[in-house]
């Protein structure tokens, strides 16, 4: 039975393939015979125009004049608006779109008042619409010769302009009911083929520039840079696939969707470049003082543009499929709108959190403004953990809300996740102990990133803090990773201030008062040094005799400095003490050595 079923499936597939090949073969034969008879169809079209009272030459000149006038009016109006308001990129695009709409509206009013023939009026209006839209796209691309991307933009403008000219001819042929073979010839060789060849040549010729544009702000080896390197090849593949799709439609006799496909191609081609332009504006806003909110809005606007492009493509290609399947459009559009609004809110919160996290910069412990340094360092320590938890919460909340919008009961899922989390907690008590201990260490502010600490098992500079462990970099280089649950006692050597005590040995008959005055002078010199003064909290001074050891005086001195900044001061003090005491005839003596005596 299974063998018979497979045989039936193979026969059905073979029959379907045979029918498709027969359809393609018959369609190609019909198209080729129609192209061969296109001269006759052209003569019949011209005679039909003359019969209707049109002069073909004057009509062609009039159409060309209308197209040029509409293009010039659109360019002049947009340039005037942009020049007066000094528009930014987004406002410039809005100015071009508004100019095209105004030109089309004004032309429609003029055609209603001046042209009485409805067929001629419709043809001229099609010419105005195509010319205005083509100018709105091509004119900004062809300007700005100082840009290194001008040649690539110019090639794209030429491709779109030639395709627009072919669309004008095709629209006129359709209005005056030209024969199908003649329209097929123009659609193939005046629109589809030139546009495909020119766009592919533009992207292949300038693929290095395209990659540079699309990889803005990305690191070497990142996914975005790899996609940018593949994008020229993807564009060539897409335009060739679109050309073949149109030819397939024309061959099998389906109503061609060339206009929809051309609009979809323009949206797909412009999408990545719009994304890069918006991202540039977002980075400029983030770099400015207090531009976190504006930067988050710009980054969210990227999602709005991407969603708009996807919505247009879905409207053009997916909604007709929904009608065939029987799914109501209203329900789909309402659910899609609700989900889109939720995605935009979550995206705004996500971007704002990411920008605020990028604002966190580690502060040096010796910053003169101690409170600011403390707050900045603590944010640097706790910030990555808070950012990770916030992003995870946003994703979880967003996913659950989408499921609720789609009518899915999420309570069984939440209950299952809770039981699963409880089972993991009971089975990994050590992990839970580490996480809880880490949270209390961070709440107590026991250490921060960049501080030097010593635990019961290791010491070094805090280099990384995760949810369950801390990594310490030893001064010699090794990194020790210690779970929070095993840290034990902590000594922090980088908090606020440190008192450095120093011992000096002099001869027994040394004048201690003279030494005290010399130390005071050295302390004043250190305090007057502009490089050392910001880190010096209390001046260097003598504390008198600390001990008498085998015929020597031990004189103790101290100073107070910012934590982690005392070493430069210590070096300067030792240098000045050695020189100053020698200049005043006071000799430092070494520590007495005890040599064990041998018996006998």
């Amino acid at each position: 039975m299974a063998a018979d079923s497979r045989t039936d499936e193979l026969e059905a597939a073979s029959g379907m393939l045979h029918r498709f090949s027969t359809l393609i073969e018959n369609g190609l034969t019909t198209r080729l015979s129609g192209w061969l008879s296109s001269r006759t169809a052209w003569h019949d079209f011209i005679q039909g125009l003359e019969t209707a009272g049109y002069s073909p030459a004057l009509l062609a000149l009039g159409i060309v004049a209308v197209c040029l006038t509409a293009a010039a009016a659109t360019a002049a109006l947009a340039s005037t608006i942009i020049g007066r308001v000094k528009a930014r990129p987004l406002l410039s695009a809005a100015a071009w779109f508004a100019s095209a709409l105004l030109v089309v509206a004004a032309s429609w009013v003029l055609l209603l008042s001046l042209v009485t023939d409805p067929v001629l009026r419709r043809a001229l209006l099609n010419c105005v619409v195509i010319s205005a839209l083509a100018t709105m796209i091509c004119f900004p691309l062809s300007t700005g010769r100082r840009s290194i991307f001008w040649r690539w933009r110019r090639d794209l403008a030429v491709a779109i302009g030639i395709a627009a000219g072919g669309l004008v001819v095709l629209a006129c042929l359709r209005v005056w009911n030209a024969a199908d073979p003649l329209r097929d010839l123009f659609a193939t060789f005046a629109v589809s083929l030139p546009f495909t060849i020119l766009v592919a040549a533009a992207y292949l010729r300038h693929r290095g520039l395209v990659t540079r544009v699309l990889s803005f702000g990305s690191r070497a080896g990142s996914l975005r840079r790899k996609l940018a390197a593949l994008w020229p090849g993807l564009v060539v593949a897409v335009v060739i696939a679109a050309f073949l799709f149109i030819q397939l439609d024309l061959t099998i006799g389906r109503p061609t969707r060339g206009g929809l496909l051309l609009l979809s191609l323009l949206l797909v081609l412009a999408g990545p470049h719009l994304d890069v332009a918006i991202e540039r504006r977002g980075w400029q806003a983030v770099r400015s003082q207090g531009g976190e909110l504006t930067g988050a809005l710009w980054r969210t606007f990227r999602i709005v543009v991407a969603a708009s492009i996807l919505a247009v493509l879905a409207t053009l290609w997916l909604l007709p499929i929904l009608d065939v399947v029987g799914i109501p459009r209203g329900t789909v559009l309402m659910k899609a709108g609700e989900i889109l609004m939720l995605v935009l809110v979550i995206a705004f919160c996500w971007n704002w959190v990411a920008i605020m996290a990028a604002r966190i910069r580690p502060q040096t412990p010796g910053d003169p403004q101690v409170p600011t340094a403390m707050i900045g360092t603590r944010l640097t320590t706790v910030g990555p953990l808070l950012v990770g938890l916030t992003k995870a919460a946003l994703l979880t909340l967003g996913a659950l809300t989408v499921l609720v919008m789609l009518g899915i009961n999420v309570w069984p899922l939440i209950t299952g996740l809770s039981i699963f989390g409880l089972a993991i907690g009971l089975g990994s008590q050590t992990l839970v102990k580490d996480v809880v201990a880490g949270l209390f260490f961070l709440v107590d502010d026991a250490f921060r990133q960049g501080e030097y600490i010593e635990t019961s098992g290791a010491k070094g500079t805090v280099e990384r803090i995760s949810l369950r462990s801390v990594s310490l970099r030893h001064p010699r280089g090794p990194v020790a990773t210690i779970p929070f649950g095993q840290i034990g006692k902590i000594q922090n050597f980088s908090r606020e201030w440190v008192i450095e005590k120093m011992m000096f040995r002099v001869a027994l008959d040394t004048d201690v008062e003279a030494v005290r005055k010399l130390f005071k002078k050295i302390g004043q010199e250190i305090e007057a040094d502009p490089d050392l003064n910001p880190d010096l909290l209390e001046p260097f001074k003598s504390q008198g005799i600390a001990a008498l050891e085998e015929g020597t005086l031990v004189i103790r001195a101290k100073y107070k400095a910012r934590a982690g900044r005392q070493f430069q001061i210590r070096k300067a003090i030792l240098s000045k003490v050695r020189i100053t005491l020698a200049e005043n005839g006071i000799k430092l003596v070494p520590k007495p050595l005890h040599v064990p005596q041998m018996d006998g």
Side-chain angles (χ1 to χ4, degrees):
M1 295 295 293
D4 294 339
S5 177
R6 285 195 296 269
T7 302
D8 294 340
E9 291 177 358
L10 290 175
E11 290 179 355
S14 177
M16 184 180 300
L17 182 62
H18 176 70
R19 289 192 299 272
F20 183 74
S21 61
T22 302
L23 185 63
I24 293 295
E25 183 178 356
N26 294 335
L28 287 176
T29 303
T30 303
R31 291 186 69 190
L32 288 175
S33 61
W35 290 352
L36 293 175
S37 63
S38 59
R39 180 175 297 180
T40 303
W42 175 255
H43 287 299
D44 294 341
F45 175 70
I46 295 299
Q47 290 178 0
L49 290 179
E50 293 176 347
T51 303
Y54 299 109
S55 173
L58 293 178
L59 185 61
L61 291 175
I63 289 174
V64 171
V66 169
C67 291
L68 293 178
T69 303
T74 304
L77 185 59
S79 300
T80 303
I81 296 175
I82 294 173
R84 286 182 178 275
V85 300
K86 297 180 180 180
R88 295 180 178 180
L90 186 60
L91 295 178
S92 299
W96 280 104
F97 185 72
S99 301
L101 289 181
L102 288 175
V103 169
V104 171
S107 301
W108 175 241
V109 173
L110 289 175
L111 291 175
L112 282 177
S113 59
L114 298 178
V115 180
T116 57
D117 188 352
V119 177
L120 179 60
R121 183 192 303 154
R122 188 174 61 176
L124 294 179
L125 183 62
N126 287 338
C127 296
V128 170
V129 172
I130 296 172
S131 301
L133 294 178
T135 305
M136 182 183 72
I137 299 173
C138 296
F139 193 82
L141 289 175
S142 59
T143 55
R145 295 191 177 187
R146 295 182 179 180
S147 173
I148 59 175
F149 310 114
W150 175 74
R151 295 183 181 277
W152 163 61
R153 289 160 42 189
R154 178 202 59 190
D155 293 347
L156 285 181
V158 170
I160 297 173
I162 292 178
L167 287 176
V168 167
V169 176
L170 193 61
C172 294
L173 292 177
R174 186 180 294 110
V175 168
W176 277 293
N177 297 321
D180 290 339
L182 188 60
R183 291 159 55 186
D184 181 8
L185 186 67
F186 271 91
T188 301
F189 296 100
V191 181
S192 301
L193 188 60
F195 182 81
T196 301
I197 294 175
L198 291 175
V199 170
Y203 273 87
L204 290 178
R205 181 182 176 187
H206 307 288
R207 55 184 176 273
L209 292 178
V210 175
T211 301
R212 286 177 56 188
V213 172
L214 298 183
S215 58
F216 166 77
S218 58
R219 298 179 180 178
S222 62
L223 178 61
R224 176 170 177 173
R225 189 175 290 271
K226 294 178 181 178
L227 291 177
L230 294 175
W231 183 250
L234 293 176
V235 168
V236 173
V238 167
V239 295
I240 292 176
F243 174 76
L244 296 177
F245 183 82
I246 291 178
Q247 298 310 308
L248 180 63
D249 270 356
L250 294 174
T251 300
I252 64 179
R254 290 195 308 175
T256 180
R257 289 171 284 179
L260 298 181
L261 194 58
L262 181 60
L263 177 60
S264 303
L265 276 177
L266 291 177
L267 291 175
V268 171
L269 295 179
H273 304 286
L274 287 175
D275 181 75
V276 171
I278 296 171
E279 187 177 8
R280 288 178 183 271
R281 297 295 304 173
W283 277 112
Q284 292 175 3
V286 170
R287 290 192 186 99
S288 62
Q289 185 67 26
E292 293 86 358
L293 181 61
T294 306
L297 289 174
W298 274 108
R299 291 187 179 183
T300 308
F301 184 65
R302 293 173 59 194
I303 301 177
V304 173
V305 172
S308 301
I309 293 176
L310 292 177
V312 172
L313 295 178
T315 303
L316 295 178
W317 299 99
L318 295 182
L319 288 184
I321 298 177
L322 294 178
D323 294 338
V324 174
V325 176
I327 300 176
R329 287 191 178 190
T331 303
V332 174
L333 293 176
M334 183 178 298
K335 293 295 182 182
E338 293 176 355
I339 294 175
L340 178 60
M341 293 300 298
L342 174 66
V343 169
L344 292 180
V345 172
I346 293 178
F348 173 77
C349 297
W350 181 287
N351 291 324
W352 185 79
V353 169
I355 292 173
M356 294 302 296
R359 285 283 187 181
I360 300 175
R361 293 292 184 270
Q363 302 284 344
T364 58
D367 196 321
Q369 298 179 350
V370 177
T372 303
M374 290 173 60
I375 294 173
T377 308
R378 191 165 188 180
L379 283 177
T380 305
T381 303
V382 186
L385 297 178
L386 295 179
V387 169
L389 292 175
T390 304
K391 289 184 176 180
L394 286 174
L395 288 178
T396 304
L397 180 62
L400 293 176
T401 308
V402 169
L403 293 178
V404 171
M405 288 180 176
L406 295 177
I408 300 175
N409 187 7
V410 298
W411 287 111
L413 179 62
I414 295 175
T415 304
L417 291 176
S418 302
I419 296 174
F420 183 70
L422 180 61
I424 291 179
L426 294 176
S428 55
Q429 296 181 8
T430 303
L431 176 62
V432 174
K433 175 184 175 182
D434 294 336
V435 172
V436 173
L439 292 177
F440 280 106
F441 275 126
L442 295 178
V443 169
D444 292 339
D445 196 20
F447 53 83
R448 305 169 187 169
Q449 190 172 4
E451 293 183 335
Y452 189 90
I453 66 173
E454 181 177 354
T455 68
S456 57
K459 60 182 177 181
T461 303
V462 179
E463 191 169 85
R464 186 180 63 87
I465 298 175
S466 67
L467 195 60
R468 65 169 295 270
S469 64
V470 59
S471 297
L472 303 182
R473 172 80 66 174
H474 193 272
R476 294 181 180 178
V479 177
T481 301
I482 310 169
F484 287 123
Q486 301 177 15
I487 286 181
K489 179 183 177 181
I490 293 178
Q491 280 187 311
N492 195 326
F493 296 92
S494 300
R495 284 297 169 90
E496 287 83 38
W497 52 267
V498 61
I499 294 179
E500 188 77 7
K501 295 187 176 182
M502 309 171 70
M503 300 292 185
F504 301 96
R505 297 178 182 275
V506 296
L508 188 61
D509 58 351
T510 303
D511 187 355
V512 178
E513 182 63 20
V515 174
R516 186 190 66 79
K517 292 180 179 179
L518 292 176
F519 280 9
K520 182 178 180 181
K521 179 181 178 184
I522 293 172
Q524 292 174 349
E525 293 177 358
I526 296 295
E527 194 174 10
D529 191 333
D531 295 331
L532 302 176
N533 179 266
D535 299 320
L536 186 66
L537 300 180
E538 291 183 6
F540 174 72
K541 60 184 178 181
S542 172
Q543 288 188 293
I545 300 175
L548 294 173
E549 292 184 357
E550 300 184 2
T552 63
L553 289 178
V554 179
I555 298 179
R556 185 166 61 184
K558 71 171 185 177
Y559 65 92
K560 186 176 181 180
R562 296 187 183 275
R565 309 292 292 179
Q566 71 270 26
F567 304 106
Q568 290 294 109
I569 300 176
R570 179 185 179 89
K571 186 187 301 184
I573 289 174
L574 290 176
S575 177
K576 288 183 177 294
V577 165
R578 183 183 65 83
I579 296 174
T580 303
L581 293 183
E583 290 176 350
N584 290 271
I586 301 175
K587 184 178 180 181
L588 294 172
V589 298
K591 183 177 181 180
L593 295 178
H594 296 277
V595 180
Q597 297 181 357
M598 301 193 58
D599 297 335

